[in-house]
Amino acid sequence: MRKICSGCRDGIDFEVPFTMAFQPIVDVETRKPFAYEALVRGVDGSGAASVLSRVTAENRYSFDQACRVMAIESALAAGLMNDDARLSINFLPNAVYSPLACIQLTMRTANAVGLPIDRLIFEFTENEEMGSPEHVSSIIDTYKKIGFSVAIDDFGAGHSGLDMFARFAPDELKLDMGLIRDIDTDARRRAIVRSIVSMCAELNTLVIAEGIETAAEASTLRDLGVRYHQGYWYARPAIGQLPAIA
């Protein structure tokens, strides 16, 4: 069932209707979903840009809170509890004014539907404007103490990736699709990813490759030691559904 967020609830006042699509992150050793990423979509099925273009400094907090609630409720309605897969939610560091205060609605929502908090992953991108690094560190530290996992998304797409990785110590690192595209025929990309995998193994950080579109890319990444895969090769995002893995 497609759920739509519009209107006010528990302090949420984001007036742009939107819904959620889900895409699996696949454990290629078991061929089972490790997690599902929640992706914002317009109610007409349009891409995230149709909603994100209407997020402003004034409604950013409401949007961030509404996304968390919508992601959890929609994933549970779609059957997340039918297996052990986690739920990965994107968040906006600039929308979090107090890490502990701003997580309360998320925790109440998870408790209300019976979702253990250790099954929640929070992603933020290295391209996201985030203001004070100290504030972001405070958010990550708080989330990890509560029991959530934290991931840096789009790693390799910006200019500050390694600095962020060193500073924030994420549980997971998601390789940007720019590093993944045609990796089977690009020795430089293979060398870079091989080095990242080695570094993450030493630091006990899980590596996820996103944007995989071909069998050759998937096979190459597996040979390089990347166990967790996401992309059209496995499943396209589906609104209100947890799509099967191809």
Side-chain angles (χ1 to χ4, degrees):
M1 178 184 297
R2 178 182 300 190
K3 295 173 70 69
I4 297 173
C5 180
S6 60
C8 305
R9 174 182 160 190
D10 290 332
I12 296 174
D13 188 12
F14 184 72
E15 297 180 352
V16 180
F18 68 91
T19 188
M20 284 286 172
F22 298 95
Q23 186 177 36
I25 298 169
V26 182
D27 180 342
V28 296
E29 291 189 6
T30 65
R31 295 294 298 186
K32 294 181 179 180
F34 164 73
Y36 291 93
E37 181 179 359
L39 301 162
V40 172
R41 293 291 184 267
V43 295
D44 59 353
S46 56
S50 65
V51 180
L52 295 175
S53 63
R54 301 174 69 179
V55 177
T56 66
E58 290 72 29
N59 65 19
R60 185 184 294 125
Y61 170 79
S62 297
F63 173 69
D64 185 67
Q65 293 288 307
C67 282
R68 297 164 184 242
V69 172
M70 171 62 66
I72 292 170
E73 293 184 342
S74 297
L76 268 290
L80 183 69
M81 298 299 285
N82 292 340
D83 57 36
D84 296 327
R86 302 181 186 185
L87 175 63
S88 193
I89 301 173
N90 293 276
F91 80 99
L92 304 174
N94 274 354
V96 179
Y97 63 86
S98 166
L100 197 56
C102 294
I103 200 62
Q104 295 305 310
L105 178 58
T106 304
M107 294 176 67
R108 290 199 302 272
T109 304
N111 289 335
V113 298
L115 178 64
I117 58 175
D118 62 2
R119 288 179 63 174
L120 283 172
I121 303 166
F122 284 96
E123 300 184 21
F124 69 101
T125 175
E126 70 165 277
N127 289 323
E128 172 67 28
E129 182 182 352
M130 62 181 62
S132 165
E134 290 74 22
H135 178 57
V136 178
S137 291
S138 176
I139 296 170
I140 293 172
D141 289 345
T142 299
Y143 284 11
K144 291 174 114 179
K145 287 177 183 176
I146 290 172
F148 304 128
S149 295
V150 177
I152 294 179
D153 193 13
D154 299 328
F155 185 80
H159 66 278
S160 59
L162 286 174
D163 179 65
M164 287 178 62
F165 185 45
R167 183 188 295 267
F168 299 138
D171 301 292
E172 299 163 13
L173 204 63
K174 299 189 73 177
L175 303 179
D176 183 73
M177 66 176 65
L179 284 174
I180 304 308
R181 189 63 59 247
D182 299 322
I183 192 170
D184 52 300
T185 60
D186 191 320
R188 296 180 69 85
R189 283 180 169 82
R190 290 196 300 275
I192 291 169
V193 170
R194 186 181 296 111
S195 296
I196 293 172
V197 169
S198 176
M199 173 181 67
C200 286
E202 183 175 347
L203 296 172
N204 197 31
T205 303
L206 185 149
V207 179
I208 299 169
E210 57 185 354
I212 300 168
E213 294 187 352
T214 68
E217 290 172 351
S219 176
T220 299
L221 286 160
R222 184 166 186 172
D223 290 344
L224 289 170
V226 181
R227 176 174 175 175
Y228 300 96
H229 293 194
Q230 182 178 2
Y232 286 179
W233 175 250
Y234 296 97
R236 290 178 176 267
I239 294 177
Q241 300 178 48
L242 305 180
I245 297 168

